[in-house]
Amino acid sequence: MSLSKLVLRQIPRKGSRAFGGEAAIPTALYDLHVSLKGKMVPFAGYSLPVLYENEDGGVVKEHLHTRAAGCASLFDVSHMGQLMWYGKDRLAFLETLLVGDIKGTPLGEGKLSLITNAQGGIIDDTIVQNASEDMSYMVVNGACKHKDMAHFKEQLASFQGDATFEYRDDLSLVAVQGPGAMAAVQKLVPSNVDLTKVGFMVGFPTELAGISGCRLTRCGYTGEDGFELSVPNAEAAKLAEAILADTSVKPAGLGARDSLRLEAGLCLYGNDLDDTTTPIEGNLTWTIGGPKTRRRTEQGFLGAEHFLTPEGKLKKTSRKRVGLAGMKAPAREGAEIFVDDEKVGVVTSGTFSPTLKKPIAMGYVSSDLSKEGTEVSIKVRNKMQPAVVTKMPFVETGYYRVPE
């Protein structure tokens, strides 16, 4: 079996983002994907390329190109939900929904946060930016966006303040990811924009390739430097073609996106997180802040009492998300984890790492087994594979820091 097919076999086939036979909405880039020989599949309700069947395509080639020096890849992530929040009390309202310090986020900056339910489970993960004095910009997961918006409306109904949101389905979203992303995107922005001065999670409205009504954010889902670019649907193909005019940039599909994010230790909602998973179990308490921070002590978001004490300390939990390595064969989601003959956990994501050329996985184990170096076994095709709990990310990340 080729390495590309081995990696492709590990892409999630269950959970809220998995491929399926349902009707799929074409994105504004559908025709471009087809012209580039994209293998289209339904994903989160949209028709998106899992890979490209051309000379430079295939999951492994696309993955390795994204990590290669001076190179970058273009991903269509238009299935994601883009929301604009308005109203003088919007930050206060967002802090009832999200675990992070939204009020304290500097103007123009954003952060990863978690939307929790009344039981402390994670409804979704999201990036929210303090975009301007009058607006906050939020990106939510494609498979969760309608569920998220229903939740927001339900909570707004009892909120005594001025807050509202607008779902911008007139906008597409593309990501340019890789060590060469800055050089590629610098060619698209106005001459007075210097991307060397734009830090991680900073965003702003800008023209891109002469197209107005766009927004640039320095972030991504691969562990590499990169940008997510919001663009009006009618101009999305023009922007994508301008990006691909740079020969260092190649198109990449969902297959490479999944293997890249797993190497970076990033969660896939519906597999690694769901509405029964608390931030402690998901190993994501850093999104709330340290022990003495305002959100840990003041709380005020849904479900906080289920995983935080009144003083802001973390409550004990029975399981934790960990990295897993050392297997001889890749372990897919659902594979059971054992110590001796006792089941102690389950794999939630797994692949053959194109960068490391070995299997890696993510999953949940009993909290007392979550320490790095703990030896376990994973049941793969009815055979026990020795494995070890390991730190994540599996591959060193390349997030950009502005030079001092």
Side-chain angles (χ1 to χ4, degrees), residues 12 26 46 66 106 126 135 144 166 170 175 216 297 319 328 337 351 356 367 375 396:
Y46 290 78
T66 310
T126 179
M135 189 267 285
C144 301
E166 179 184 12
D170 59 320
L216 175 153
T297 55
R319 62 174 186 152
K328 291 183 178 180
I337 304 170
T351 193
L356 302 175
S367 294
E375 295 181 353
E396 184 177 358

Side-chain angles (χ1 to χ4, degrees), residues 64-71 179-180:
L64 294 176
H65 181 83
T66 310
R67 297 247 188 265
C71 297

Side-chain angles (χ1 to χ4, degrees), residues 4-261:
S4 186
K5 288 182 178 179
L6 184 60
V7 175
L8 188 58
R9 283 186 62 181
Q10 308 307 311
I11 297 172
R13 284 163 171 79
K14 64 180 183 179
S16 64
R17 298 186 186 176
F19 307 154
E22 73 277 7
I25 301 167
T27 71
L29 298 181
Y30 179 87
D31 290 343
L32 178 62
H33 296 314
V34 172
S35 72
L36 295 170
K37 298 185 178 179
K39 182 177 181 179
M40 309 304 288
V41 297
F43 182 81
Y46 290 78
S47 182
L48 290 165
V50 66
L51 52 81
Y52 291 86
E53 297 176 307
N54 55 39
E55 183 180 350
D56 299 314
V59 176
V60 172
K61 284 185 179 180
E62 293 166 22
H63 179 115
L64 294 176
H65 181 83
T66 310
R67 297 247 188 265
C71 297
S73 294
L74 174 68
F75 298 84
D76 182 1
V77 291
S78 300
H79 61 295
M80 307 287 277
Q82 299 181 68
L83 280 65
M84 311 294 191
W85 287 88
Y86 302 99
K88 63 181 178 62
D89 301 313
R90 72 187 186 283
L91 299 182
F93 177 69
L94 286 169
E95 288 204 344
T96 70
L97 300 176
L98 306 173
V99 303
D101 184 0
I102 308 305
K103 292 179 180 178
T105 304
L107 199 63
E109 295 187 15
K111 61 176 54 184
L112 177 72
S113 197
L114 307 173
I115 307 165
T116 51
N117 59 29
Q119 293 73 45
I122 299 170
I123 294 175
D124 199 3
D125 53 306
T126 179
I127 290 178
V128 60
Q129 284 183 24
N130 188 7
S132 71
E133 296 287 354
D134 303 315
M135 189 267 285
S136 297
Y137 172 64
M138 174 185 280
V139 178
V140 295
N141 286 311
C144 301
K145 61 187 178 184
H146 296 294
K147 173 187 74 170
D148 294 348
M149 288 188 286
H151 174 69
F152 298 157
K153 290 175 182 177
E154 180 183 342
Q155 296 302 310
L156 276 169
S158 58
F159 179 67
Q160 302 298 312
D162 178 20
T164 186
F165 71 88
E166 179 184 12
Y167 170 43
R168 297 295 303 273
D169 58 354
D170 59 320
L171 298 175
S172 294
L173 194 66
V174 298
V176 183
Q177 299 283 297
M182 180 163 60
V185 176
Q186 185 67 63
K187 299 174 184 178
L188 308 174
V189 296
S191 59
N192 64 341
V193 176
D194 183 357
L195 295 180
T196 65
K197 298 177 181 178
V198 176
F200 185 58
M201 287 291 187
V202 171
F204 51 88
T206 183
E207 284 192 358
L208 293 168
I211 301 165
S212 59
C214 298
R215 185 173 188 85
L216 175 153
T217 304
R218 194 165 208 148
C219 65
Y221 192 51
T222 64
E224 297 293 339
D225 185 23
F227 303 85
E228 290 189 353
L229 309 175
S230 175
V231 57
N233 289 338
E235 303 287 352
K238 178 182 175 182
L239 176 60
E241 288 167 356
I243 295 168
L244 291 172
D246 186 325
T247 56
S248 71
V249 183
K250 304 293 183 186
L254 295 167
R257 190 167 181 255
D258 190 64
S259 55
L260 287 159
R261 69 91 191 168

